[in-house]
Amino acid sequence: MEPKENGNQPGRVIEGPTNPMVTPLLNDLYQFTMAYAYWKAGKQNERSVFDLYFRKNPFGGEYTVFAGLEECVKFLANFKLTHQEIDYVRDSLPGSEEAFCDYLKGLDCSDVEVYAIPEGSVVFPKVPLMRVEGPVGVVQLLETPFLNLVNFASLVATNAARHRFVAGKSKSLLEFGARRAQGPDGAISASKYCYLGGFDATSNVAAGKLFGIPLRGTHSHAFVSSFMSTDEIVDKVLQSADGETTCDDFISLVQTWLTKIQYSPSLSGFFSETNQSELAAFISYALAFPKAFLALVDTYDVMKSGIPNFCAVALALNDLGYKALGIRLDSGDLAYLSTEARNFFCAVERELKVPGFGKMIVTASNDLNEETIDALNKQGHEVDAFGIGTYLVTCYAQAALGCVFKLVEINNQPRIKLSEDVTKVSIPCKKRSYRLYGKEGYPLVDIMTGENEPPPKVGERLLCRHPFNESKRAYVVPQRVEELLKCFWRGSADEAREELPPLKEIRDRCIKQLENMRPDHMRRLNPTPYKVSVSAKLYDFIHFLWLNEAPVGELQ
Amino acid sequence: MEPKENGNQPGRVIEGPTNPMVTPLLNDLYQFTMAYAYWKAGKQNERSVFDLYFRKNPFGGEYTVFAGLEECVKFLANFKLTHQEIDYVRDSLPGSEEAFCDYLKGLDCSDVEVYAIPEGSVVFPKVPLMRVEGPVGVVQLLETPFLNLVNFASLVATNAARHRFVAGKSKSLLEFGARRAQGPDGAISASKYCYLGGFDATSNVAAGKLFGIPLRGTHSHAFVSSFMSTDEIVDKVLQSADGETTCDDFISLVQTWLTKIQYSPSLSGFFSETNQSELAAFISYALAFPKAFLALVDTYDVMKSGIPNFCAVALALNDLGYKALGIRLDSGDLAYLSTEARNFFCAVERELKVPGFGKMIVTASNDLNEETIDALNKQGHEVDAFGIGTYLVTCYAQAALGCVFKLVEINNQPRIKLSEDVTKVSIPCKKRSYRLYGKEGYPLVDIMTGENEPPPKVGERLLCRHPFNESKRAYVVPQRVEELLKCFWRGSADEAREELPPLKEIRDRCIKQLENMRPDHMRRLNPTPYKVSVSAKLYDFIHFLWLNEAPVGELQ
């Protein structure tokens, strides 16, 4: 999608969505049938207000990270149907009038306003993440794309944040999910939003290029088994790190070290003969990347082959002034193997007098998730970096977040969506929302009010009510009041609005907000729900409207 | 990605992947570090053979539908790194030599061959879905994109097939997942592959346009609650279906019918006053789509409001020669409500003498999945069409399929990947595979052989061995032998190869193959595993190689 110039002004341009497949046709057909029916009824320009929110935090937790906003703004800033798209829509609506095509032709988001919580914020159920206002005909066409762009983004960012929480701040977290993700941009979105949620790097080259995310990756088992023996290696020459000396036979140097390790008192007995294809692969890899040698050590046997082979190559590199980075473990008992590997490295440091050798980075991969990292922590391990794929990027533990997009007002008339299930009743009215902070600096409660109610004031006692449970209410004296919804779109890129910050800044906001939550909301086991409330006035209005709309039953 | 012309010939062109984000950079960094290390070692052109396969059927079942092949072929036919991409890769590989960029510049798939089971086939664990041969430097760069394109495609196609199985052939299955899918092409891929797996239609307009999938969709709750009363409807005129008469006040006609229903002997007592915003919405929708009136009836109360309102509008349409389509239920007890709705429609048919009225289509949605459809079947229901979203498109029950891509031969040397976990040991050698059919026409067993073994023959007894369990073996006398791997790419679009059939044909293959499976493999509860085997010769070779590679332990 080409970015649209804003009229004749020198106007600012907001680029289109990352994925060019995100067009107004990424939509449910019923948004178009409704647009047609609104248009037929002359209602298409009625001013509507929709809230985008979710009903339940994912993964059994009590918090969610909001993500996907930037892509939504990029989408609506460039919202325009092409002739070809219009023709297709017309053909899909049986019996539709030709004049509807003219309506679609003129459709854009110049009458739409979007208020949203900044991307990367910690958010809670029922509180609108976005409030979208505008002509009902066009806002209806934003529902499916916005939900699509927000649902997975927020889900996977939350999943990443949860993995960070269990791994701890000091560990490196690497996203390795591209091959198992739900399609090509399931991969690219996951890389973006895992970084946003607190990961350090990704293996996904496309995501690295698109979003500036640091990349990580070394080699696979196939690389190891593609070698038969060191005889295959033709060019054995390696210059020293400072460029001053040249080792003419790096293979011999490695083999000398391998023998030294083998006959070193506290290292002997670990292994007899190491695998030669593995050794050849490690040497080749080191010759290619002497400054960044990190080896996958579990192709044959970690302790009998992988670790001794790695150490021999690392020690040979060390002779030439290079520091090897470390190893990756991709199978087996990671707690046991990481500890054994660490012990071996420390023994090499001691026995062979190589300072710092014990600090080799141990990276672990192989179907890791929140649970397995938690289990590793409980067992004790020596892993420095976790490479996480499938469970992270597909959000295996809960593969969908249920964001919804509900009409709360039309033509200044508040609307409520009823349901037999009280958790599905929508909170009517165009609203404002605030986060109230307590004395210790933690957020205490989010409160929604009618649009024209006076905002909560610092130091003033305020009644916060559960929206649907009359017995749940509490007085709060906020020490800080933060209005949650900010304007991100007001008809054009030139109008006053919040800037779209770079991804790194969104990530920083996310990490800071997560750290600033009261710990009991964040813990994995039985976390305390964060409170979400409405003002007394809004409470009364919700229940007035509810009684008004609900049919009175008749017992028969 | 622009499709590449094939040299100077009039050459055939294979279009690029559906999603333009599918480029060679949709890759794990380690594929490029390995490519560099292969190149540094002078190994980049060694002829390698990789198998793409999965280890376990998803969803607790005993079958999988293979999908994603067409996108893989489109990808490799257009495989070419741009200058900008090459620069980015170089910058991502610390210390890499400039000459590597020239290597990357020249890289394409003109030396690659791909053999695959045709897309839409029913497939089983361990049997290669694709065998990819070519220079190891380039084939390594196909691993991540191929896995990404096959994993989700096959998973969601299988999920769709399972939903079809439980719903039965006579029901309409509609995919409604765009809003909850894992990102934009999580949605578009899901729509494509659910159709392939046996769904009838999608709500996703982009997928409809891209792939020619039939579209479905009517209106949402927001449409209903956007109306306040019938006073809003300005244009009440509706022409009859044959264009010969005009009803000047369609609203009055509807209201007359509503009264008739209300005072009709067996229909009275059901309801007193129906919701007026709902009635207004239905009338508006009918005025927009008189030929395709299908109403969502659960915004307020299905039996007290939605159904009577729907019937009144449908009867008014009937007066003018239009046939209403039916209703959609999106909440509540779908078994009960669909049955009540059907009873009401039949009563209307009887009482008000409207032939066919009892046959209204009842569509059900609201978080449906295999389990809930199975439960509905057991309870008894009157649903004709299921609209399925979240659980289908995100594959909620199991969000990932674990396809892998393993080196099985390099330089004519067979390679095996060992593992402590026997299910993870790879089957070495460049192989052929066959499906053997029994007397009743059902597939009996898949068998893999070495590339140069004579193929199984119809009527000849053959020993089929479990690849890893020596005690599991059986003699088979096949009545039909089908070679599974066909050539889909041999260096260029012009070389002899299988055509890429249209989606509709792939879907037909899938449906036919599913129907041709022995029922006990397909049942939801305790299905019988389908047998996957190797020839006696391949069995011996696997175990020879395994013993050769595995280190001998030492008990201490």
Side-chain angles (χ1 to χ4, degrees):
Chain A
M1 193 186 285
E2 289 296 305
K4 188 181 63 167
E5 291 289 339
N6 290 286
N8 303 323
Q9 304 167 33
R12 298 166 58 199
V13 171
I14 296 180
E15 277 176 28
T18 303
N19 186 343
M21 295 173 89
V22 180
T23 71
L25 291 205
L26 182 68
N27 233 320
D28 290 304
L29 181 66
Y30 79 178
Q31 312 291 9
F32 285 102
T33 55
M34 285 192 275
Y36 182 74
Y38 287 133
W39 174 82
K40 269 290 279 182
K43 273 175 77 81
Q44 75 275 18
N45 288 325
E46 288 186 4
R47 192 88 190 158
S48 60
V49 182
F50 284 80
D51 282 349
L52 188 154
Y53 61 97
F54 60 94
R55 296 180 180 128
K56 200 171 178 315
N57 289 301
F59 309 117
E62 291 296 345
Y63 65 95
T64 299
V65 172
F66 172 42
L69 176 61
E70 180 191 9
E71 295 289 334
C72 291
V73 174
K74 287 177 161 182
F75 171 69
L76 71 87
N78 295 277
F79 184 98
K80 199 83 202 157
L81 286 127
T82 66
H83 284 281
Q84 216 204 1
E85 289 170 340
I86 291 170
D87 288 348
Y88 181 72
V89 168
R90 192 216 19 234
D91 295 347
S92 304
L93 302 182
S96 61
E97 294 170 25
E98 196 56 34
F100 180 61
C101 293
D102 297 329
Y103 167 67
L104 290 180
K105 234 170 265 172
L107 223 53
D108 62 25
C109 289
S110 57
D111 269 331
V112 173
E113 292 176 46
V114 173
Y115 296 79
I117 301 181
E119 187 160 4
S121 298
V122 176
V123 292
F124 304 97
K126 300 191 205 81
V127 183
L129 307 176
M130 299 170 73
R131 188 181 81 201
V132 186
E133 312 172 29
V136 67
V138 63
V139 176
Q140 197 76 72
L141 290 172
L142 301 176
E143 175 174 12
T144 309
F146 276 16
L147 288 174
N148 181 280
L149 292 168
V150 167
N151 261 324
F152 179 58
S154 300
L155 183 72
V156 75
T158 306
N159 204 17
R162 295 182 62 84
H163 280 77
R164 167 58 71 195
F165 183 84
V166 66
K169 279 173 81 167
S170 67
K171 301 297 175 192
S172 272
L173 290 184
L174 320 172
E175 176 270 312
F176 282 177
R179 65 189 57 197
R180 300 282 169 81
Q182 297 204 349
D185 80 13
I188 291 173
S189 306
S191 302
K192 176 179 180 181
Y193 296 114
C194 287
Y195 182 64
L196 187 159
F199 268 55
D200 296 300
T202 178
S203 65
N204 183 337
V205 183
K209 182 161 185 292
L210 280 167
F211 310 117
I213 305 172
L215 290 177
R216 287 289 184 288
T218 54
H219 67 83
S220 71
H221 297 115
F223 183 79
V224 174
S225 48
S226 78
F227 286 82
M228 303 294 285
S229 84
T230 52
D231 300 343
E232 285 174 67
I233 303 171
V234 183
D235 186 358
K236 312 170 184 182
V237 179
L238 184 61
Q239 267 213 327
S240 66
D242 58 13
E244 294 194 354
T245 57
T246 298
C247 168
D248 290 328
D249 189 349
F250 187 67
I251 300 176
S252 295
L253 184 59
V254 170
Q255 261 149 350
T256 311
W257 275 113
L258 193 57
T259 313
K260 276 194 206 168
I261 298 169
Q262 203 162 355
Y263 294 104
S264 181
S266 70
L267 302 172
S268 72
F270 266 98
F271 65 102
S272 45
E273 206 180 332
T274 62
N275 186 289
Q276 290 303 295
S277 33
E278 183 178 66
L279 187 63
F282 288 1
I283 291 172
S284 282
Y285 196 79
L287 288 168
F289 297 105
K291 292 176 189 162
F293 179 58
L294 196 150
L296 175 63
V297 294
D298 68 340
T299 305
Y300 299 100
D301 186 298
V302 174
M303 295 312 298
K304 287 197 189 69
S305 183
I307 295 283
N309 278 339
F310 165 79
C311 289
V313 177
L315 288 162
L317 284 173
N318 185 62
D319 283 347
L320 300 172
Y322 298 103
K323 288 240 163 299
L325 298 181
I327 58 162
R328 180 160 70 94
L329 297 167
D330 190 41
S331 60
D333 180 337
L334 298 172
Y336 170 78
L337 290 172
S338 66
T339 308
E340 287 294 291
R342 179 74 64 212
N343 292 342
F344 200 95
F345 297 148
C346 291
V348 168
E349 173 164 353
R350 271 194 322 273
E351 298 266 328
L352 304 174
K353 314 254 177 317
V354 193
F357 203 93
K359 300 224 159 39
M360 286 293 165
I361 294 171
V362 177
T363 304
S365 48
N366 189 29
D367 286 350
L368 294 173
N369 59 27
E370 261 193 86
E371 310 298 320
T372 49
I373 296 173
D374 189 47
L376 283 172
N377 289 344
K378 283 171 183 155
Q379 272 183 275
H381 65 83
E382 285 289 338
V383 176
D384 304 295
F386 292 103
I388 312 181
T390 314
Y391 292 96
L392 176 68
V393 304
T394 65
C395 299
Y396 205 91
Q398 181 183 326
L401 179 65
C403 278
V404 294
F405 191 79
K406 292 291 171 195
L407 180 71
V408 293
E409 189 180 296
I410 188 161
N411 277 335
N412 298 312
Q413 299 292 322
R415 306 305 282 153
I416 191 169
K417 161 76 182 78
L418 303 181
S419 173
E420 305 266 316
D421 179 354
V422 75
T423 63
K424 287 196 168 183
V425 175
S426 67
I427 299 178
C429 303
K430 181 167 169 177
K431 298 179 288 294
R432 291 175 183 269
S433 31
Y434 304 89
R435 185 157 294 173
L436 309 183
Y437 290 81
K439 279 187 200 137
E440 283 154 34
Y442 294 127
L444 285 184
V445 61
D446 285 4
I447 185 168
M448 291 170 263
T449 73
E451 140 103 319
N452 297 315
E453 286 186 59
K457 286 207 186 69
V458 169
E460 269 186 25
R461 207 167 85 126
L462 178 75
L463 184 63
C464 297
R465 300 201 64 163
H466 185 288
F468 303 116
N469 184 331
E470 63 176 343
S471 68
K472 287 193 179 171
R473 61 227 154 122
Y475 283 106
V476 175
V477 182
Q479 302 303 304
R480 184 155 82 83
V481 174
E482 182 188 13
E483 178 150 18
L484 290 172
L485 292 171
K486 321 258 185 211
C487 182
F488 279 87
W489 181 258
R490 211 191 307 258
S492 103
D494 294 318
E495 292 295 326
R497 57 173 174 81
E498 298 292 317
E499 291 297 322
L500 296 175
L503 180 58
K504 187 75 172 55
E505 238 171 72
I506 301 177
R507 179 175 185 269
D508 292 344
R509 159 184 283 273
C510 174
I511 292 171
K512 211 174 131 196
Q513 288 222 346
L514 288 164
E515 285 175 357
N516 196 36
M517 289 299 297
R518 216 173 60 204
D520 60 317
H521 300 309
M522 310 304 284
R523 67 186 176 217
R524 294 184 66 241
L525 200 65
N526 295 326
T528 315
Y530 179 82
K531 285 191 178 54
V532 166
S533 67
V534 295
S535 67
K537 205 168 158 189
L538 183 55
Y539 178 90
D540 290 340
F541 187 74
I542 295 169
H543 292 264
F544 161 76
L545 211 63
W546 194 347
L547 284 177
N548 225 25
E549 296 273 0
V552 183
E554 270 175 58
L555 296 176
Q556 288 173 335
Chain B
M1 190 185 287
E2 288 296 305
K4 188 181 63 166
E5 289 289 339
N6 290 287
N8 304 323
Q9 304 167 31
R12 299 167 58 200
V13 171
I14 296 181
E15 278 176 28
T18 303
N19 186 344
M21 294 173 90
V22 180
T23 72
L25 290 205
L26 182 68
N27 233 320
D28 289 303
L29 181 66
Y30 80 177
Q31 313 291 10
F32 285 102
T33 55
M34 285 191 276
Y36 182 74
Y38 286 133
W39 174 81
K40 270 290 281 180
K43 274 175 77 82
Q44 75 275 17
N45 289 325
E46 289 185 2
R47 192 87 190 159
S48 60
V49 182
F50 285 80
D51 282 350
L52 188 153
Y53 61 97
F54 60 94
R55 297 180 180 126
K56 199 172 179 316
N57 290 302
F59 310 118
E62 291 296 346
Y63 65 96
T64 299
V65 172
F66 172 43
L69 175 62
E70 180 191 9
E71 296 289 333
C72 290
V73 175
K74 287 178 162 183
F75 172 70
L76 70 86
N78 294 276
F79 184 97
K80 200 81 202 158
L81 286 127
T82 66
H83 285 281
Q84 216 204 1
E85 289 169 341
I86 290 171
D87 289 347
Y88 181 74
V89 169
R90 192 219 15 237
D91 295 347
S92 305
L93 302 181
S96 61
E97 293 169 27
E98 196 56 34
F100 180 60
C101 293
D102 297 329
Y103 168 66
L104 290 181
K105 234 170 267 171
L107 222 54
D108 61 25
C109 290
S110 56
D111 269 331
V112 173
E113 291 176 46
V114 173
Y115 296 79
I117 301 181
E119 188 161 4
S121 298
V122 175
V123 292
F124 304 98
K126 299 189 207 85
V127 183
L129 308 176
M130 299 170 73
R131 187 181 82 200
V132 185
E133 312 173 28
V136 67
V138 63
V139 175
Q140 198 74 72
L141 289 173
L142 301 176
E143 174 175 14
T144 310
F146 276 16
L147 288 174
N148 180 281
L149 292 169
V150 167
N151 261 324
F152 180 58
S154 300
L155 183 72
V156 75
T158 307
N159 204 18
R162 296 182 61 86
H163 280 78
R164 166 59 71 196
F165 183 83
V166 66
K169 279 173 83 168
S170 67
K171 301 297 175 189
S172 271
L173 290 184
L174 319 172
E175 176 270 312
F176 282 176
R179 62 188 60 196
R180 300 283 168 80
Q182 297 204 349
D185 79 14
I188 291 172
S189 306
S191 302
K192 176 178 180 181
Y193 296 114
C194 287
Y195 182 65
L196 186 158
F199 268 55
D200 297 299
T202 178
S203 66
N204 184 338
V205 183
K209 183 163 184 289
L210 280 166
F211 310 118
I213 306 171
L215 290 177
R216 287 289 185 286
T218 54
H219 67 84
S220 72
H221 297 115
F223 183 79
V224 174
S225 49
S226 79
F227 287 82
M228 303 294 286
S229 83
T230 51
D231 299 345
E232 284 174 66
I233 303 170
V234 184
D235 186 357
K236 313 169 185 182
V237 179
L238 184 61
Q239 266 212 331
S240 64
D242 58 12
E244 294 196 355
T245 57
T246 298
C247 167
D248 290 327
D249 189 349
F250 186 68
I251 301 177
S252 294
L253 184 60
V254 169
Q255 261 148 353
T256 310
W257 275 113
L258 194 57
T259 313
K260 275 193 205 165
I261 299 169
Q262 202 161 357
Y263 294 104
S264 184
S266 70
L267 303 171
S268 72
F270 266 97
F271 66 103
S272 45
E273 206 180 331
T274 63
N275 186 288
Q276 289 303 294
S277 30
E278 184 178 66
L279 185 64
F282 288 2
I283 292 172
S284 282
Y285 195 80
L287 287 168
F289 297 105
K291 292 177 191 161
F293 179 57
L294 195 151
L296 174 63
V297 293
D298 69 340
T299 306
Y300 300 101
D301 187 295
V302 174
M303 295 312 298
K304 286 196 190 69
S305 183
I307 295 285
N309 278 338
F310 166 79
C311 289
V313 176
L315 289 163
L317 284 171
N318 185 61
D319 282 349
L320 299 171
Y322 298 104
K323 286 241 163 300
L325 298 181
I327 57 162
R328 179 161 71 95
L329 296 167
D330 189 42
S331 59
D333 179 337
L334 298 172
Y336 170 77
L337 290 173
S338 66
T339 308
E340 287 294 290
R342 179 72 66 214
N343 291 342
F344 200 96
F345 297 148
C346 291
V348 168
E349 173 164 353
R350 274 194 319 274
E351 298 264 327
L352 304 173
K353 315 253 176 319
V354 193
F357 203 93
K359 300 226 160 37
M360 286 293 165
I361 294 170
V362 176
T363 304
S365 47
N366 190 29
D367 286 349
L368 294 173
N369 59 28
E370 261 192 87
E371 310 297 320
T372 49
I373 296 173
D374 189 48
L376 283 171
N377 290 344
K378 283 170 182 154
Q379 271 181 277
H381 65 83
E382 285 289 338
V383 175
D384 304 295
F386 293 102
I388 313 182
T390 313
Y391 292 96
L392 175 69
V393 303
T394 65
C395 299
Y396 205 92
Q398 181 182 325
L401 179 66
C403 278
V404 295
F405 191 80
K406 293 291 172 196
L407 180 71
V408 294
E409 189 179 296
I410 187 161
N411 277 336
N412 298 313
Q413 298 294 320
R415 304 306 281 154
I416 190 169
K417 160 75 184 79
L418 303 182
S419 174
E420 303 267 316
D421 179 355
V422 75
T423 64
K424 286 196 169 184
V425 175
S426 66
I427 299 178
C429 304
K430 180 166 171 179
K431 298 178 290 292
R432 292 176 183 268
S433 31
Y434 305 89
R435 184 157 296 171
L436 310 184
Y437 291 79
K439 280 187 201 136
E440 283 153 34
Y442 294 127
L444 284 184
V445 61
D446 284 4
I447 185 167
M448 292 170 264
T449 73
E451 141 104 319
N452 297 317
E453 287 185 59
K457 288 207 184 70
V458 169
E460 269 186 26
R461 207 167 84 127
L462 178 75
L463 184 63
C464 297
R465 299 202 63 163
H466 185 286
F468 303 115
N469 185 332
E470 64 175 344
S471 68
K472 287 191 178 173
R473 59 225 155 122
Y475 283 105
V476 174
V477 182
Q479 302 304 305
R480 183 155 81 86
V481 174
E482 182 187 14
E483 177 149 20
L484 290 172
L485 293 170
K486 321 259 184 210
C487 181
F488 279 87
W489 180 257
R490 210 191 307 255
S492 103
D494 294 317
E495 292 296 326
R497 58 173 172 79
E498 298 293 315
E499 292 297 322
L500 296 175
L503 180 58
K504 186 74 173 54
E505 240 171 69
I506 302 176
R507 180 176 184 268
D508 291 344
R509 159 183 283 272
C510 174
I511 293 171
K512 210 174 134 197
Q513 287 223 345
L514 289 164
E515 285 175 357
N516 195 36
M517 289 298 298
R518 215 175 58 204
D520 60 318
H521 300 308
M522 310 305 283
R523 66 184 176 218
R524 294 184 65 242
L525 200 65
N526 295 327
T528 314
Y530 179 83
K531 285 191 179 54
V532 165
S533 67
V534 295
S535 66
K537 202 168 162 192
L538 183 55
Y539 178 90
D540 291 339
F541 187 74
I542 294 170
H543 291 263
F544 161 76
L545 210 63
W546 193 348
L547 283 177
N548 224 27
E549 295 274 359
V552 183
E554 269 175 57
L555 295 176
Q556 289 174 332

